[in-house]
Amino acid sequence: MNDSNTVSPEPVASTRIVAIGASAGALHALSRFFRAAAAIPQDIAFVVVVHLAPDAESHLPDLLAKDTSFAVSTIEDGAVPRPGHVYVIPPKVSVVIEQGAFGLRPAAGRPAIPMPIDDFFTSLAADQGDRAIGIVLTGANADGSAGLRAIKAEGGMVMAQTPDTAEQDSMPTHAIATGLVDYVLPIEQMPETLFDYIARSLSAIAPIPGNAQAPVDLDPVLEALAATGSDFRGYKRGTLERRIARRMAVNKVDSLAAYCDILRTSGEEAQALSLDMMIGVTEFFRDPQAWQALGERVLNGLLDESEGERPLRVWIP
């Protein structure tokens, strides 16, 4: 195992955390990934979450250290991810990240089925928001599919291994079936695409050239979406810009004009952007003022009606 104390840069707020989930066939898949990565950019930390036998010592950090020149270490409770590092889940635990630091929890015991990838993906989405990135590799169950929904709900990015290149295709197949995966690629193509996406996502939609005070014109994008039957004119501008910028990064384009050309000629991209817009944050009561008003102005009156024995029907569209 590499000694993280000898080569570790100080943790910085801009560190991008990339989570990789794998199960059956994980070692071979991870080795291929890190060999293809060659070198990890100094602003990225990888977190490897795999299914480990609870009664056996894990040698995964030592084995992965042979495939990367950067420090590889086992995750410790309370540690802060450092850029240029690879962190590996230890046995018998579930890992989360909260306020930028790792937290170790006892793994779920039987009859529950441990889902450590879902656990970490979900916590990463809550902690990192639209900076969260999840990668689903080979595996024999559906772990990761629920967690990637949380990542996409926050505007993050998700990749999955091409199923026919996986030793066990169940995990990537379930991930792809959600319809939320941004890139489906063979492992060897993932690092280059990942690093390109991160570099592009660092830049937001720029103001109109020559007028730094004027916001960029989003009408062409909204018109292209309207042609597919989706009207997003009432969405908050910040949400629109973040989701458009994310899809621009996915499509590897640097200008809004170029992205509008894609939207006008690709129904699939228009649908993908619409889906990105409609993925909601997975917090049912995220607007407490609205619920308070509903209770005080609507529900109290209904519950106080004389026909109190009559069922109160609630329709959720």
PDB file of all heavy atoms in Angstrom, residues 224-250:
ATOM      1  N   ALA A 224     -36.171  25.075 -28.647  1.00  0.00           N
ATOM      2  CA  ALA A 224     -35.894  23.702 -29.093  1.00  0.00           C
ATOM      3  C   ALA A 224     -36.582  22.691 -28.190  1.00  0.00           C
ATOM      4  O   ALA A 224     -37.104  21.671 -28.661  1.00  0.00           O
ATOM      5  CB  ALA A 224     -34.383  23.463 -29.111  1.00  0.00           C
ATOM      6  N   LEU A 225     -36.613  22.963 -26.884  1.00  0.00           N
ATOM      7  CA  LEU A 225     -37.304  22.066 -25.951  1.00  0.00           C
ATOM      8  C   LEU A 225     -38.813  22.121 -26.165  1.00  0.00           C
ATOM      9  O   LEU A 225     -39.498  21.098 -26.048  1.00  0.00           O
ATOM     10  CB  LEU A 225     -36.952  22.446 -24.510  1.00  0.00           C
ATOM     11  CG  LEU A 225     -35.518  22.178 -24.080  1.00  0.00           C
ATOM     12  CD1 LEU A 225     -35.275  22.715 -22.675  1.00  0.00           C
ATOM     13  CD2 LEU A 225     -35.203  20.685 -24.131  1.00  0.00           C
ATOM     14  N   ALA A 226     -39.350  23.320 -26.465  1.00  0.00           N
ATOM     15  CA  ALA A 226     -40.786  23.454 -26.697  1.00  0.00           C
ATOM     16  C   ALA A 226     -41.232  22.615 -27.883  1.00  0.00           C
ATOM     17  O   ALA A 226     -42.358  22.097 -27.912  1.00  0.00           O
ATOM     18  CB  ALA A 226     -41.145  24.924 -26.903  1.00  0.00           C
ATOM     19  N   ALA A 227     -40.341  22.463 -28.872  1.00  0.00           N
ATOM     20  CA  ALA A 227     -40.675  21.657 -30.043  1.00  0.00           C
ATOM     21  C   ALA A 227     -40.890  20.186 -29.674  1.00  0.00           C
ATOM     22  O   ALA A 227     -41.534  19.448 -30.419  1.00  0.00           O
ATOM     23  CB  ALA A 227     -39.571  21.789 -31.094  1.00  0.00           C
ATOM     24  N   THR A 228     -40.332  19.761 -28.533  1.00  0.00           N
ATOM     25  CA  THR A 228     -40.533  18.382 -28.083  1.00  0.00           C
ATOM     26  C   THR A 228     -41.731  18.265 -27.146  1.00  0.00           C
ATOM     27  O   THR A 228     -42.022  17.182 -26.639  1.00  0.00           O
ATOM     28  CB  THR A 228     -39.281  17.871 -27.342  1.00  0.00           C
ATOM     29  OG1 THR A 228     -39.167  18.542 -26.081  1.00  0.00           O
ATOM     30  CG2 THR A 228     -38.031  18.087 -28.158  1.00  0.00           C
ATOM     31  N   GLY A 229     -42.422  19.411 -26.899  1.00  0.00           N
ATOM     32  CA  GLY A 229     -43.587  19.388 -26.022  1.00  0.00           C
ATOM     33  C   GLY A 229     -43.287  19.750 -24.581  1.00  0.00           C
ATOM     34  O   GLY A 229     -44.152  19.579 -23.711  1.00  0.00           O
ATOM     35  N   SER A 230     -42.090  20.258 -24.295  1.00  0.00           N
ATOM     36  CA  SER A 230     -41.710  20.597 -22.926  1.00  0.00           C
ATOM     37  C   SER A 230     -41.504  22.107 -22.807  1.00  0.00           C
ATOM     38  O   SER A 230     -40.711  22.684 -23.548  1.00  0.00           O
ATOM     39  CB  SER A 230     -40.420  19.872 -22.530  1.00  0.00           C
ATOM     40  OG  SER A 230     -40.587  18.472 -22.616  1.00  0.00           O
ATOM     41  N   ASP A 231     -42.216  22.733 -21.886  1.00  0.00           N
ATOM     42  CA  ASP A 231     -42.124  24.175 -21.685  1.00  0.00           C
ATOM     43  C   ASP A 231     -41.430  24.443 -20.356  1.00  0.00           C
ATOM     44  O   ASP A 231     -41.988  24.183 -19.287  1.00  0.00           O
ATOM     45  CB  ASP A 231     -43.523  24.792 -21.686  1.00  0.00           C
ATOM     46  CG  ASP A 231     -43.487  26.316 -21.598  1.00  0.00           C
ATOM     47  OD1 ASP A 231     -42.381  26.871 -21.414  1.00  0.00           O
ATOM     48  OD2 ASP A 231     -44.555  26.941 -21.704  1.00  0.00           O
ATOM     49  N   PHE A 232     -40.196  24.958 -20.418  1.00  0.00           N
ATOM     50  CA  PHE A 232     -39.415  25.210 -19.207  1.00  0.00           C
ATOM     51  C   PHE A 232     -39.210  26.701 -18.952  1.00  0.00           C
ATOM     52  O   PHE A 232     -38.312  27.080 -18.209  1.00  0.00           O
ATOM     53  CB  PHE A 232     -38.045  24.506 -19.309  1.00  0.00           C
ATOM     54  CG  PHE A 232     -38.142  23.014 -19.321  1.00  0.00           C
ATOM     55  CD1 PHE A 232     -38.047  22.313 -20.513  1.00  0.00           C
ATOM     56  CD2 PHE A 232     -38.350  22.312 -18.149  1.00  0.00           C
ATOM     57  CE1 PHE A 232     -38.148  20.930 -20.533  1.00  0.00           C
ATOM     58  CE2 PHE A 232     -38.451  20.927 -18.155  1.00  0.00           C
ATOM     59  CZ  PHE A 232     -38.338  20.233 -19.343  1.00  0.00           C
ATOM     60  N   ARG A 233     -40.068  27.545 -19.550  1.00  0.00           N
ATOM     61  CA  ARG A 233     -39.882  28.982 -19.394  1.00  0.00           C
ATOM     62  C   ARG A 233     -40.085  29.440 -17.948  1.00  0.00           C
ATOM     63  O   ARG A 233     -39.578  30.480 -17.558  1.00  0.00           O
ATOM     64  CB  ARG A 233     -40.838  29.727 -20.320  1.00  0.00           C
ATOM     65  CG  ARG A 233     -40.441  29.650 -21.784  1.00  0.00           C
ATOM     66  CD  ARG A 233     -41.503  30.233 -22.672  1.00  0.00           C
ATOM     67  NE  ARG A 233     -42.747  29.463 -22.599  1.00  0.00           N
ATOM     68  CZ  ARG A 233     -43.836  29.741 -23.310  1.00  0.00           C
ATOM     69  NH1 ARG A 233     -43.823  30.771 -24.145  1.00  0.00           N
ATOM     70  NH2 ARG A 233     -44.919  29.006 -23.202  1.00  0.00           N
ATOM     71  N   GLY A 234     -40.803  28.662 -17.155  1.00  0.00           N
ATOM     72  CA  GLY A 234     -41.042  29.046 -15.770  1.00  0.00           C
ATOM     73  C   GLY A 234     -39.973  28.581 -14.805  1.00  0.00           C
ATOM     74  O   GLY A 234     -40.040  28.885 -13.612  1.00  0.00           O
ATOM     75  N   TYR A 235     -38.956  27.852 -15.315  1.00  0.00           N
ATOM     76  CA  TYR A 235     -37.902  27.345 -14.431  1.00  0.00           C
ATOM     77  C   TYR A 235     -36.964  28.479 -14.005  1.00  0.00           C
ATOM     78  O   TYR A 235     -36.778  29.455 -14.736  1.00  0.00           O
ATOM     79  CB  TYR A 235     -37.086  26.264 -15.157  1.00  0.00           C
ATOM     80  CG  TYR A 235     -37.626  24.871 -14.963  1.00  0.00           C
ATOM     81  CD1 TYR A 235     -38.972  24.591 -15.119  1.00  0.00           C
ATOM     82  CD2 TYR A 235     -36.778  23.815 -14.628  1.00  0.00           C
ATOM     83  CE1 TYR A 235     -39.474  23.310 -14.957  1.00  0.00           C
ATOM     84  CE2 TYR A 235     -37.259  22.530 -14.466  1.00  0.00           C
ATOM     85  CZ  TYR A 235     -38.609  22.284 -14.627  1.00  0.00           C
ATOM     86  OH  TYR A 235     -39.096  21.022 -14.451  1.00  0.00           O
ATOM     87  N   LYS A 236     -36.374  28.336 -12.830  1.00  0.00           N
ATOM     88  CA  LYS A 236     -35.402  29.314 -12.357  1.00  0.00           C
ATOM     89  C   LYS A 236     -34.206  29.356 -13.309  1.00  0.00           C
ATOM     90  O   LYS A 236     -33.734  28.328 -13.775  1.00  0.00           O
ATOM     91  CB  LYS A 236     -34.928  28.966 -10.953  1.00  0.00           C
ATOM     92  CG  LYS A 236     -36.019  29.081  -9.891  1.00  0.00           C
ATOM     93  CD  LYS A 236     -35.470  28.715  -8.526  1.00  0.00           C
ATOM     94  CE  LYS A 236     -36.558  28.831  -7.461  1.00  0.00           C
ATOM     95  NZ  LYS A 236     -36.046  28.446  -6.116  1.00  0.00           N
ATOM     96  N   ARG A 237     -33.735  30.562 -13.564  1.00  0.00           N
ATOM     97  CA  ARG A 237     -32.644  30.718 -14.523  1.00  0.00           C
ATOM     98  C   ARG A 237     -31.403  29.932 -14.099  1.00  0.00           C
ATOM     99  O   ARG A 237     -30.734  29.314 -14.927  1.00  0.00           O
ATOM    100  CB  ARG A 237     -32.293  32.195 -14.694  1.00  0.00           C
ATOM    101  CG  ARG A 237     -31.219  32.402 -15.741  1.00  0.00           C
ATOM    102  CD  ARG A 237     -30.903  33.845 -16.007  1.00  0.00           C
ATOM    103  NE  ARG A 237     -29.873  33.902 -17.036  1.00  0.00           N
ATOM    104  CZ  ARG A 237     -30.115  33.902 -18.339  1.00  0.00           C
ATOM    105  NH1 ARG A 237     -31.355  33.865 -18.786  1.00  0.00           N
ATOM    106  NH2 ARG A 237     -29.120  33.942 -19.217  1.00  0.00           N
ATOM    107  N   GLY A 238     -31.093  29.960 -12.796  1.00  0.00           N
ATOM    108  CA  GLY A 238     -29.912  29.237 -12.328  1.00  0.00           C
ATOM    109  C   GLY A 238     -30.000  27.753 -12.633  1.00  0.00           C
ATOM    110  O   GLY A 238     -29.017  27.125 -13.042  1.00  0.00           O
ATOM    111  N   THR A 239     -31.195  27.173 -12.448  1.00  0.00           N
ATOM    112  CA  THR A 239     -31.395  25.745 -12.754  1.00  0.00           C
ATOM    113  C   THR A 239     -31.211  25.495 -14.242  1.00  0.00           C
ATOM    114  O   THR A 239     -30.543  24.531 -14.645  1.00  0.00           O
ATOM    115  CB  THR A 239     -32.797  25.304 -12.321  1.00  0.00           C
ATOM    116  OG1 THR A 239     -32.933  25.475 -10.910  1.00  0.00           O
ATOM    117  CG2 THR A 239     -33.038  23.837 -12.675  1.00  0.00           C
ATOM    118  N   LEU A 240     -31.798  26.363 -15.072  1.00  0.00           N
ATOM    119  CA  LEU A 240     -31.661  26.204 -16.514  1.00  0.00           C
ATOM    120  C   LEU A 240     -30.188  26.241 -16.929  1.00  0.00           C
ATOM    121  O   LEU A 240     -29.727  25.389 -17.696  1.00  0.00           O
ATOM    122  CB  LEU A 240     -32.424  27.319 -17.239  1.00  0.00           C
ATOM    123  CG  LEU A 240     -33.954  27.271 -17.174  1.00  0.00           C
ATOM    124  CD1 LEU A 240     -34.539  28.564 -17.717  1.00  0.00           C
ATOM    125  CD2 LEU A 240     -34.501  26.074 -17.948  1.00  0.00           C
ATOM    126  N   GLU A 241     -29.448  27.218 -16.422  1.00  0.00           N
ATOM    127  CA  GLU A 241     -28.051  27.362 -16.829  1.00  0.00           C
ATOM    128  C   GLU A 241     -27.216  26.170 -16.387  1.00  0.00           C
ATOM    129  O   GLU A 241     -26.380  25.673 -17.153  1.00  0.00           O
ATOM    130  CB  GLU A 241     -27.477  28.655 -16.253  1.00  0.00           C
ATOM    131  CG  GLU A 241     -28.035  29.900 -16.905  1.00  0.00           C
ATOM    132  CD  GLU A 241     -27.337  31.159 -16.419  1.00  0.00           C
ATOM    133  OE1 GLU A 241     -26.547  31.057 -15.455  1.00  0.00           O
ATOM    134  OE2 GLU A 241     -27.580  32.229 -17.006  1.00  0.00           O
ATOM    135  N   ARG A 242     -27.443  25.688 -15.161  1.00  0.00           N
ATOM    136  CA  ARG A 242     -26.656  24.541 -14.676  1.00  0.00           C
ATOM    137  C   ARG A 242     -26.932  23.296 -15.494  1.00  0.00           C
ATOM    138  O   ARG A 242     -25.996  22.551 -15.850  1.00  0.00           O
ATOM    139  CB  ARG A 242     -26.955  24.288 -13.195  1.00  0.00           C
ATOM    140  CG  ARG A 242     -26.340  25.306 -12.249  1.00  0.00           C
ATOM    141  CD  ARG A 242     -26.411  24.825 -10.826  1.00  0.00           C
ATOM    142  NE  ARG A 242     -27.777  24.605 -10.369  1.00  0.00           N
ATOM    143  CZ  ARG A 242     -28.535  25.568  -9.837  1.00  0.00           C
ATOM    144  NH1 ARG A 242     -28.070  26.801  -9.712  1.00  0.00           N
ATOM    145  NH2 ARG A 242     -29.766  25.295  -9.435  1.00  0.00           N
ATOM    146  N   ARG A 243     -28.197  23.026 -15.791  1.00  0.00           N
ATOM    147  CA  ARG A 243     -28.521  21.804 -16.532  1.00  0.00           C
ATOM    148  C   ARG A 243     -28.068  21.897 -17.987  1.00  0.00           C
ATOM    149  O   ARG A 243     -27.621  20.905 -18.569  1.00  0.00           O
ATOM    150  CB  ARG A 243     -30.033  21.524 -16.445  1.00  0.00           C
ATOM    151  CG  ARG A 243     -30.535  21.275 -15.017  1.00  0.00           C
ATOM    152  CD  ARG A 243     -29.817  20.103 -14.366  1.00  0.00           C
ATOM    153  NE  ARG A 243     -30.022  20.026 -12.936  1.00  0.00           N
ATOM    154  CZ  ARG A 243     -30.883  19.209 -12.321  1.00  0.00           C
ATOM    155  NH1 ARG A 243     -31.646  18.416 -13.018  1.00  0.00           N
ATOM    156  NH2 ARG A 243     -30.966  19.199 -11.006  1.00  0.00           N
ATOM    157  N   ILE A 244     -28.180  23.080 -18.578  1.00  0.00           N
ATOM    158  CA  ILE A 244     -27.689  23.257 -19.948  1.00  0.00           C
ATOM    159  C   ILE A 244     -26.167  23.110 -19.992  1.00  0.00           C
ATOM    160  O   ILE A 244     -25.618  22.434 -20.872  1.00  0.00           O
ATOM    161  CB  ILE A 244     -28.116  24.635 -20.504  1.00  0.00           C
ATOM    162  CG1 ILE A 244     -29.631  24.685 -20.689  1.00  0.00           C
ATOM    163  CG2 ILE A 244     -27.422  24.916 -21.844  1.00  0.00           C
ATOM    164  CD1 ILE A 244     -30.176  26.075 -20.958  1.00  0.00           C
ATOM    165  N   ALA A 245     -25.482  23.726 -19.032  1.00  0.00           N
ATOM    166  CA  ALA A 245     -24.023  23.627 -18.994  1.00  0.00           C
ATOM    167  C   ALA A 245     -23.582  22.182 -18.820  1.00  0.00           C
ATOM    168  O   ALA A 245     -22.569  21.755 -19.402  1.00  0.00           O
ATOM    169  CB  ALA A 245     -23.475  24.496 -17.856  1.00  0.00           C
ATOM    170  N   ARG A 246     -24.333  21.409 -18.033  1.00  0.00           N
ATOM    171  CA  ARG A 246     -23.985  19.994 -17.830  1.00  0.00           C
ATOM    172  C   ARG A 246     -24.104  19.214 -19.136  1.00  0.00           C
ATOM    173  O   ARG A 246     -23.224  18.423 -19.479  1.00  0.00           O
ATOM    174  CB  ARG A 246     -24.900  19.396 -16.761  1.00  0.00           C
ATOM    175  CG  ARG A 246     -24.321  18.175 -16.070  1.00  0.00           C
ATOM    176  CD  ARG A 246     -25.390  17.464 -15.253  1.00  0.00           C
ATOM    177  NE  ARG A 246     -26.295  16.741 -16.133  1.00  0.00           N
ATOM    178  CZ  ARG A 246     -26.001  15.547 -16.666  1.00  0.00           C
ATOM    179  NH1 ARG A 246     -24.853  14.973 -16.411  1.00  0.00           N
ATOM    180  NH2 ARG A 246     -26.843  14.933 -17.459  1.00  0.00           N
ATOM    181  N   ARG A 247     -25.186  19.458 -19.877  1.00  0.00           N
ATOM    182  CA  ARG A 247     -25.368  18.735 -21.139  1.00  0.00           C
ATOM    183  C   ARG A 247     -24.346  19.214 -22.188  1.00  0.00           C
ATOM    184  O   ARG A 247     -23.926  18.415 -23.029  1.00  0.00           O
ATOM    185  CB  ARG A 247     -26.794  18.952 -21.673  1.00  0.00           C
ATOM    186  CG  ARG A 247     -27.881  18.256 -20.873  1.00  0.00           C
ATOM    187  CD  ARG A 247     -27.689  16.775 -20.727  1.00  0.00           C
ATOM    188  NE  ARG A 247     -27.489  16.081 -21.995  1.00  0.00           N
ATOM    189  CZ  ARG A 247     -27.195  14.784 -22.093  1.00  0.00           C
ATOM    190  NH1 ARG A 247     -27.070  14.053 -20.991  1.00  0.00           N
ATOM    191  NH2 ARG A 247     -27.037  14.217 -23.264  1.00  0.00           N
ATOM    192  N   MET A 248     -23.957  20.477 -22.132  1.00  0.00           N
ATOM    193  CA  MET A 248     -22.898  20.941 -23.023  1.00  0.00           C
ATOM    194  C   MET A 248     -21.599  20.196 -22.740  1.00  0.00           C
ATOM    195  O   MET A 248     -20.889  19.787 -23.662  1.00  0.00           O
ATOM    196  CB  MET A 248     -22.699  22.447 -22.865  1.00  0.00           C
ATOM    197  CG  MET A 248     -23.808  23.299 -23.458  1.00  0.00           C
ATOM    198  SD  MET A 248     -23.655  25.074 -23.054  1.00  0.00           S
ATOM    199  CE  MET A 248     -22.067  25.458 -23.797  1.00  0.00           C
ATOM    200  N   ALA A 249     -21.289  20.003 -21.459  1.00  0.00           N
ATOM    201  CA  ALA A 249     -20.075  19.266 -21.097  1.00  0.00           C
ATOM    202  C   ALA A 249     -20.160  17.823 -21.560  1.00  0.00           C
ATOM    203  O   ALA A 249     -19.184  17.261 -22.072  1.00  0.00           O
ATOM    204  CB  ALA A 249     -19.856  19.333 -19.589  1.00  0.00           C
ATOM    205  N   VAL A 250     -21.337  17.200 -21.396  1.00  0.00           N
ATOM    206  CA  VAL A 250     -21.513  15.811 -21.836  1.00  0.00           C
ATOM    207  C   VAL A 250     -21.300  15.687 -23.338  1.00  0.00           C
ATOM    208  O   VAL A 250     -20.704  14.728 -23.834  1.00  0.00           O
ATOM    209  CB  VAL A 250     -22.922  15.296 -21.446  1.00  0.00           C
ATOM    210  CG1 VAL A 250     -23.226  13.973 -22.131  1.00  0.00           C
ATOM    211  CG2 VAL A 250     -23.035  15.144 -19.929  1.00  0.00           C
TER     212      VAL A 250
END
